[in-house]
Amino acid sequence: MHVVVTGGAGFIGSHIVDAYVGRGWNVTVVDDLSTGERENLNPRAEFIEGSINDPGVVSRAMRPGVDLLNHHAAQMDVRKSVADPIFDAEQNVIASLRLFEAAVNAGVKSVVFASSGGAAYGEPLFVPQTESHPFAPMSPYGCAKLAVEHYLGYYRQVSGIRGVALRYGNVYGPRQKQHGEAGVVAIFAGKMLAGETVTINGSGLQTRDYVSVDDVVRANMAASEGELAGAFNVGTGVETSVVGLFETMCRTLGGSYATAHAPAKPGEQMRSVLDGARLRAIAHLPEPVKLDDGLRTTIEWIRRR
Ligand SMILES: NC(=O)c1ccc[n+]([C@@H]2O[C@H](COP(=O)([O-])OP(=O)(O)OC[C@H]3O[C@@H](n4cnc5c(N)ncnc54)[C@H](O)[C@@H]3O)[C@@H](O)[C@H]2O)c1
């Protein structure tokens, strides 16, 4: 099997590359290193450095013989998408279409796409949010993820490409960078280990579904190896507030840590929690990693750096 992984130098993408390589697959990574790191690159994968917005880069990667496209490259800063929706759509919608068109031309059979549950569903009407929860994206980033899911459905109908969209919760784990809303675990852990004050925006009662990158990798392997098609949540069903996350991290680290409160970020979603049971049942995946266990592994990794 030959798989092209876009964003394979990033946090999630690099773990997925490692899993494919571990299975003996032939892997090509496409990454412009805008937020990814060279040190995350698996030495047994081919690396094409460049943007998925560059038609030359895309045609080099999406060549005949490629079986699967795993698409993780994205502009994933929600606040940046609000500040510049056109830039966000160029990176997240147009570049995805460029890849999908090239995939059709190269005879690629399947596509796995990194979508976002929280960003696509918006503020919950019920919890945990299942795949049939209505969509109400609160950001251009969420609109883009949803648009790409629809394009995947379109390509499935007209070109027979098997498409799987995986709607993640807030993914955390080793290699995550300490920035952005998605990086809250890495940011808190970095500050706490450095003895710095942790800043909590707003009340700290806003909730998220923190899912371990190990569960995300398992979902990607199931989507790659099986016959799944359509959209699936990848979440734990456990709702954790920012304050709750901080307290769990204090317990994991031992000791007490200083916090300061800052004003709430305008437009920030208050709640998000995903029901991931459907994918786990269909793909026979284990129960999700418990937050305490996942945090311990993540903190250990940050400590060793
Ligand atoms: N981290 C989360 O909690 C989360 C939640 C939901 C969805 N996702 C999605 O998962 C994917 C990976 O996220 P991540 O957390 O690993 O982020 P990341 O920033 O670590 O990874 C993104 C990678 O894509 C690369 N990239 C960005 N734009 C590119 C372009 N135009 N051309 C080539 N490479 C480009 C970056 O250099 C980086 O290596 C993204 O699509 C993101 O939207 C992440």
Side-chain angles (χ1 to χ4, degrees):
M1 289 289 280
H2 185 175
V3 56
V4 170
V5 183
T6 70
F11 159 47
I12 301 172
S14 64
H15 286 281
I16 290 168
V17 169
D18 292 348
Y20 285 131
V21 168
R23 282 164 163 72
W25 289 28
N26 187 2
V27 184
T28 300
V29 170
V30 184
D31 201 300
D32 64 0
L33 300 178
S34 52
T35 56
E37 296 291 333
R38 207 172 278 279
E39 68 180 44
N40 290 344
L41 288 169
N42 189 306
R44 283 157 65 198
E46 177 195 22
F47 177 44
I48 299 176
E49 184 173 348
S51 171
I52 53 166
N53 251 327
D54 177 339
V57 168
V58 169
S59 63
R60 260 177 75 201
M62 303 307 301
R63 52 196 189 248
V66 172
D67 300 288
L68 172 73
L69 165 65
N70 186 309
H71 180 27
H72 270 72
Q75 184 310 101
M76 58 161 301
D77 184 333
V78 174
R79 287 165 201 154
K80 197 185 263 181
S81 83
V82 173
D84 193 347
I86 294 170
F87 173 73
D88 183 78
E90 281 164 357
Q91 296 296 313
N92 290 344
V93 182
I94 302 297
S96 299
L97 279 181
R98 213 182 287 291
L99 280 169
F100 296 166
E101 281 294 304
V104 170
N105 292 335
V108 172
K109 296 179 218 47
S110 310
V111 176
V112 178
F113 170 60
S115 189
S116 165
Y121 299 130
E123 211 61 76
L125 301 177
F126 55 83
V127 293
Q129 291 159 299
T130 60
E131 286 86 352
S132 52
H133 188 283
F135 298 119
M138 292 173 65
S139 65
Y141 170 79
C143 294
K145 289 290 183 194
L146 207 45
V148 174
E149 284 198 17
H150 286 303
Y151 279 114
L152 268 186
Y154 158 77
Y155 282 106
R156 191 158 58 233
Q157 289 182 59
V158 302
S159 308
I161 288 193
R162 184 180 68 89
V164 185
L166 296 174
R167 297 180 184 150
Y168 303 153
N170 273 55
V171 189
Y172 69 92
R175 297 186 191 154
Q176 186 165 32
K177 279 196 171 171
Q178 298 177 20
H179 65 67
E181 194 222 77
V184 62
V185 168
I187 295 168
F188 280 16
K191 296 245 181 239
M192 291 162 87
L193 288 169
E196 293 168 14
T197 302
V198 168
T199 304
I200 294 177
N201 296 324
S203 65
L205 299 180
Q206 53 284 43
T207 63
R208 295 293 181 267
D209 186 338
Y210 294 97
V211 60
S212 158
V213 73
D214 292 344
D215 289 321
V216 170
V217 169
R218 276 189 273 277
N220 273 271
M221 294 306 114
S224 303
E225 289 167 334
E227 289 305 314
L228 296 176
F232 299 89
N233 287 342
V234 183
T236 67
V238 178
E239 195 174 5
T240 306
S241 69
V242 175
V243 170
L245 174 72
F246 174 72
E247 286 167 354
T248 311
M249 293 179 77
C250 289
R251 273 201 311 278
T252 309
L253 279 163
S256 58
Y257 298 87
T259 54
H261 279 266
K265 295 282 176 191
E268 192 184 8
Q269 207 167 310
M270 266 316 283
R271 295 180 77 187
S272 176
V273 57
L274 305 178
D275 186 343
R278 187 165 147 259
L279 179 65
R280 285 199 297 278
I282 294 175
H284 308 292
L285 297 177
E287 283 302 301
V289 173
K290 296 224 172 341
L291 185 58
D292 286 77
D293 297 336
L295 286 177
R296 207 169 301 118
T297 316
T298 308
I299 288 170
E300 266 321 303
W301 180 83
I302 296 174
R303 214 196 286 270
R304 281 200 309 273
R305 281 175 66 78

